[in-house]
Amino acid sequence: MTDLLIKPQQDAHEDAQDATEDVEAVDRPDNPLADWLTVPDAPILPAWARNWASVRANSGAFVKVTWWHGRYHAIRTPKYAVKVVGYSARGAYRGGRRLWPVLTADDHTRAVKALRAQAHGKPEDDDAALRYQAAHRQRTEARRARWGTALGLVGATALALNYASLGLQLATGCLTCGGLSVIGWSDEAQILDHGTPPLRIAMDAQQLNDALRATGLLKPGKGDDEGPKVNCVMGPLRDGNGWAVIFDLPKGGGKKAPDVLAKRVDIAAELGVDEIQVIMSRVRAVAGGNAGRVSMWVADDDPYLAPPTTSPLEALDSFSIWDAVPFGQDARGNRVSIPIVWQSMFFGGLPRRGKTFSQRLLTAAGLLDAYVRHYVADFKGGQDWIQMQQVAHRLILGAEEDAIAAFKLMLKELLREMERRFTILRGLPTSICPEGKLTPEIVKRYNMPFILFTVDELQEAFLAVDDQEREEIINDMARIARRGPAAGFISNYASQRPDAKSVPTKLREIITIRYSTQVTDQTSSDMILGKGKAAQGADASVLSEEHKGVGVLVTGPASFVTVKADMLETAAFNAMCAKGRALREQAGQLAGDAANDPGALANAAGITVSPVLSDCLSVMRHSVKLHTADILARLENLDEDYGDWDAERLAKELDDAGVKRTTKQVNIGGKNLAGYRREDLEAAMPAELLNAR
């Protein structure tokens, strides 16, 4: 039985050998083309010449270095001239010493001296005397000929140069000095100084290995062996205003790309630069990378201190929210854009670091799309968002009790609208709604514009309510951020205080896009950008006070970049609000608060309204009546120029604006104090605006 089993196995093995011999032996060891066929395609050009950007960067670096060396040596020209004269003098001395024996016929002198000694030793030897006289005569004739030739050449040259042009004279002098300098040259001679360009960093593979070894990412060697080294896949080479390198960590060391990213500060210290100058990221498989491949770019200096770039949105007449929104530039000057459809966003950071300006860029993009409906809540109540009254379907300003009540109503309205949309989407056929969410056709056909829900200074609302109300607000906002994107809701939240109370985990963890300006430490950075992001390299605490408008942008679990946001000043933003109103009027999409806001109607109609009247209506937009003291406090919050106003001045200014008070006392919460009714202020608006309303 065993033989029966072995026999078929042997036959199968022999058949396999026969089959192998019949197949073309491409991979066999004896095939001379086997190695060539298995070698993958390798780039023909060096890394610096594979794209125009790299060619320009390296060419620019070469020009800069050449220009520096040119200035360095030009200023030392007098010193070099003195050196050349010194070497020429030494060459003349050496040449003179070598030429003197020729001119004095030293080759004849030895024979003359020998014959003279012989003649003096044997005075009676006439033959010796004759030979001596002949040798002496030959030496004299040789001296005359040589001196004559030399003096003739010198005289002829001097005469020729006397009648030559100045250029020829200078050229002859330079050639003479050059020739004499060559004669006077020695091994220790040196004319040019060796200047070193003042580069902040001059990257090379050795420096990179030393830095990684010092930070514990590479094992140290023993004795003369340096130990394992990285494999530089690209560079180091010039890339823009810095050095770029892509390297693989050596196998067997137990280190991975995330370990390198976590050592960013240590690596920067070893390279002798600030950590803000070191930009590192993993190279993923989609880009030909692996778990041990790192891309690193080291800037010559801080790349984020340059003046900000004006937002391209400012020059546009319209914009489609379906497109990625231009947001800013990274350290290398590459454009960074953010796709916000189906997304939710959170902005955080310390005060006066450009957080609101950055957040406003995304809202500004929505202004230029008529099919974007704006719901805005600014709990600071200042000038940053006030002109949204021209466009916003709902606008909340301030964090007073009436504003918080209006915000709660806004949230309930948004939730109802979200459920209404889902009901419609579920009833649509798959031919119209294939993925159960909005499409450009559905937006216009069923009048369901995108809803851009913007909330700034979120911490002010949370501090103004008790814990129960705060939890209710968080639940509603989280529900909108979690379920709303499919129904066309885009959440755009911002908070100034990066702590657990102002940035609740329930809300923070469902946000897909996060942006943080400078914060105090890595814990605060992680509260905004996500837990563990600082260890991955997304750390906003490395930013300094000078980095206004600069922040770390996280767009995915492992995707982040430090961005210098575009500049969109308040005046430009206000102009875009007016432009957005005109677009909505043309498309028939102007509705809600903006359609009836007195200040917005006045701006749209070009009618001048008293500034104090317009501002009072803005601070009273959520209340039918307010005490004078409360109006003054809100006016000061809106504009600090109102800080020195009192009740008497306010009354005079409103009286001049045409306000007729039906009563000077208003009762609010059982307190009957001096105040104003909103309807009295509205009645003072121009008649054409009242008719339009």
Side-chain angles (χ1 to χ4, degrees):
M1 186 65 178
T2 305
D3 294 339
L4 293 176
L5 293 174
I6 294 175
K7 180 65 176 176
Q9 293 176 358
Q10 292 176 344
D11 293 342
H13 181 66
E14 293 173 357
D15 292 341
Q17 288 182 337
D18 294 339
T20 303
E21 293 174 355
D22 294 336
V23 177
E24 184 179 359
V26 175
D27 295 325
R28 286 181 52 173
D30 56 348
N31 181 7
L33 298 179
D35 292 339
W36 181 80
L37 291 172
T38 57
V39 174
D41 291 337
I44 299 175
L45 295 174
W48 64 268
R50 293 174 194 168
N51 58 74
W52 281 112
S54 182
V55 169
R56 287 194 299 269
N58 286 273
S59 300
F62 175 77
V63 170
K64 289 180 181 179
V65 171
T66 303
W67 173 237
W68 186 91
H69 277 294
R71 290 179 296 154
Y72 177 87
H73 293 300
I75 202 171
R76 289 163 175 77
T77 301
K79 177 182 178 181
Y80 299 156
V82 172
K83 286 186 176 182
V84 169
V85 171
Y87 292 134
S88 299
R90 186 163 66 180
Y93 172 73
R94 289 180 177 179
R97 287 186 57 187
R98 297 172 185 174
L99 187 61
W100 181 257
V102 177
L103 294 175
T104 57
D106 192 55
D107 51 336
H108 292 276
T109 299
R110 289 191 296 272
V112 170
K113 288 181 179 181
L115 291 172
R116 183 175 56 190
Q118 184 178 356
H120 287 173
K122 296 180 179 180
E124 68 281 0
D125 189 348
D126 295 336
D127 186 57
L130 291 174
R131 288 198 307 273
Y132 169 68
Q133 290 177 354
H136 190 276
R137 184 171 57 254
Q138 289 177 357
R139 185 180 70 173
T140 302
E141 291 175 354
R143 284 178 174 177
R144 290 174 180 173
R146 295 178 184 182
W147 276 104
T149 301
L151 293 175
L153 289 174
V154 171
T157 302
L159 183 64
L161 288 176
N162 183 54
Y163 293 100
S165 63
L166 179 62
L168 182 60
Q169 292 176 352
L170 292 175
T172 304
C174 291
L175 289 174
T176 303
C177 286
L180 293 176
S181 296
V182 172
I183 298 174
W185 200 263
S186 60
D187 293 339
E188 69 277 2
Q190 177 181 324
I191 295 179
L192 299 180
D193 295 341
H194 293 295
T196 303
L199 298 176
R200 294 288 300 275
I201 180 172
M203 282 282 291
D204 56 36
Q206 183 62 43
Q207 188 177 13
L208 176 62
N209 281 301
D210 291 342
L212 296 178
R213 191 170 290 111
T215 55
L217 294 169
L218 292 180
K219 293 182 178 179
K222 297 180 179 179
D224 296 334
D225 183 14
E226 294 185 32
K229 302 179 180 179
V230 298
N231 176 32
C232 290
V233 179
M234 184 201 77
L237 53 82
R238 291 294 298 178
D239 184 358
N241 294 322
W243 293 89
V245 60
I246 299 177
F247 60 89
D248 286 336
L249 292 170
K251 297 179 180 179
K255 298 297 183 181
K256 306 175 289 297
D259 299 325
V260 179
L261 303 185
K263 293 278 190 177
R264 177 186 176 190
V265 177
D266 297 334
I267 293 174
E270 292 299 326
L271 293 176
V273 298
D274 190 89
E275 61 265 30
I276 197 69
Q277 297 173 238
V278 180
I279 311 297
M280 295 190 297
S281 63
R282 286 189 56 180
V283 182
R284 293 288 183 172
V286 68
N290 55 69
R293 182 166 293 182
V294 178
S295 173
M296 184 167 71
W297 185 77
V298 183
D300 295 333
D301 47 29
D302 193 327
Y304 301 108
L305 295 182
T309 302
T310 301
S311 173
L313 294 171
E314 186 177 336
L316 298 180
D317 293 326
S318 63
F319 182 82
S320 175
I321 203 68
W322 294 92
D323 298 332
V325 178
F327 186 71
Q329 294 180 332
D330 65 8
R332 305 193 199 191
N334 300 318
R335 170 57 56 183
V336 176
S337 298
I338 305 176
I340 64 174
V341 173
W342 322 129
Q343 305 295 329
S344 53
M345 298 156 289
F346 189 90
F347 289 75
L350 293 174
R352 292 171 293 281
R353 295 294 183 271
K355 170 184 56 63
T356 298
F357 277 70
S358 303
Q359 181 194 21
R360 221 164 46 180
L361 286 169
L362 306 183
T363 301
L367 290 172
L368 299 180
D369 191 332
Y371 287 90
V372 174
R373 183 177 297 168
H374 290 271
Y375 284 72
V376 179
D378 174 21
F379 290 114
K380 182 180 179 181
Q383 290 284 342
D384 293 333
W385 299 94
I386 192 169
Q387 288 303 317
M388 284 297 293
Q389 63 187 350
Q390 302 186 60
V391 180
H393 192 82
R394 295 285 181 263
L395 176 62
I396 308 296
L397 294 175
E400 293 79 15
E401 185 176 349
D402 54 348
I404 297 298
F407 181 63
K408 292 180 182 178
L409 292 176
M410 179 198 287
L411 291 175
K412 299 305 179 185
E413 179 182 337
L414 288 170
L415 291 173
R416 288 194 302 271
E417 175 65 13
M418 184 175 67
E419 295 304 329
R420 185 188 73 84
R421 293 189 175 200
F422 277 127
T423 301
I424 295 175
L425 293 174
R426 285 193 296 266
L428 295 176
T430 55
S431 59
I432 298 177
C433 186
E435 299 180 5
K437 56 186 180 182
L438 287 186
T439 65
E441 180 184 358
I442 293 175
V443 167
K444 295 184 178 180
R445 183 174 178 181
Y446 294 93
N447 193 24
M448 288 196 292
F450 275 96
I451 291 180
L452 188 50
F453 180 33
T454 303
V455 183
D456 193 14
E457 306 295 352
L458 186 58
Q459 78 284 347
E460 296 295 332
F462 290 155
L463 294 174
V465 298
D466 57 32
D467 291 343
Q468 183 177 352
E469 290 180 304
R470 176 176 175 274
E471 190 65 24
E472 181 182 355
I473 292 174
I474 291 172
N475 289 335
D476 289 345
M477 294 181 66
R479 187 177 175 188
I480 293 171
R482 182 173 57 253
R483 298 189 62 232
F489 283 65
I490 303 172
S491 300
N492 185 13
Y493 303 152
S495 178
Q496 193 178 90
R497 292 176 52 187
D499 55 38
K501 187 173 182 179
S502 300
V503 192
T505 304
K506 182 184 296 186
L507 183 61
R508 182 179 67 236
E509 293 303 321
I510 60 175
I511 301 296
T512 52
I513 296 175
R514 308 177 192 184
Y515 181 82
S516 176
T517 57
Q518 185 198 13
V519 292
T520 55
D521 50 38
Q522 290 188 352
T523 302
S524 299
S525 180
D526 280 351
M527 282 186 177
I528 298 172
L529 301 178
K531 185 178 181 180
K533 285 294 186 291
Q536 298 177 13
D539 183 9
S541 66
V542 303
L543 301 174
S544 65
E545 291 78 4
E546 291 77 17
H547 294 131
K548 293 184 178 180
V550 180
V552 180
L553 175 68
V554 173
T555 56
S559 301
F560 60 87
V561 61
T562 302
V563 182
K564 187 175 186 63
D566 293 333
M567 172 59 72
L568 183 63
E569 295 183 344
T570 300
F573 180 76
N574 294 343
M576 292 181 67
C577 289
K579 193 182 298 183
R581 183 182 181 89
L583 289 173
R584 283 157 180 77
E585 288 177 340
Q586 295 173 6
Q589 291 294 316
L590 187 65
D593 293 348
N596 295 299
D597 186 88
L601 289 171
N603 289 334
I607 298 174
T608 301
V609 178
S610 170
V612 64
L613 177 59
S614 178
D615 289 343
C616 286
L617 284 172
S618 295
V619 300
M620 292 183 67
R621 64 185 301 113
H622 311 303
S623 302
V624 295
K625 53 187 176 180
L626 273 180
H627 292 139
T628 301
D630 293 332
I631 294 176
L632 288 171
R634 296 188 183 190
L635 285 174
E636 184 178 359
N637 184 53
L638 180 68
D639 190 338
E640 60 183 13
D641 290 342
Y642 288 108
D644 57 352
W645 281 41
D646 54 17
E648 183 178 351
R649 181 174 180 183
L650 178 63
K652 181 180 182 305
E653 294 288 344
L654 289 178
D655 184 63
D656 293 342
V659 175
K660 306 300 182 182
R661 301 166 72 177
T662 56
T663 176
K664 293 186 177 182
Q665 302 289 114
V666 294
N667 192 314
I668 302 175
K671 294 182 179 180
N672 193 25
L673 301 173
Y676 290 83
R677 300 174 63 87
R678 189 175 65 198
E679 61 184 16
D680 292 341
L681 273 63
E682 291 177 344
M685 298 292 287
E688 53 268 39
L689 292 182
L690 296 177
N691 295 333
R693 294 185 68 193

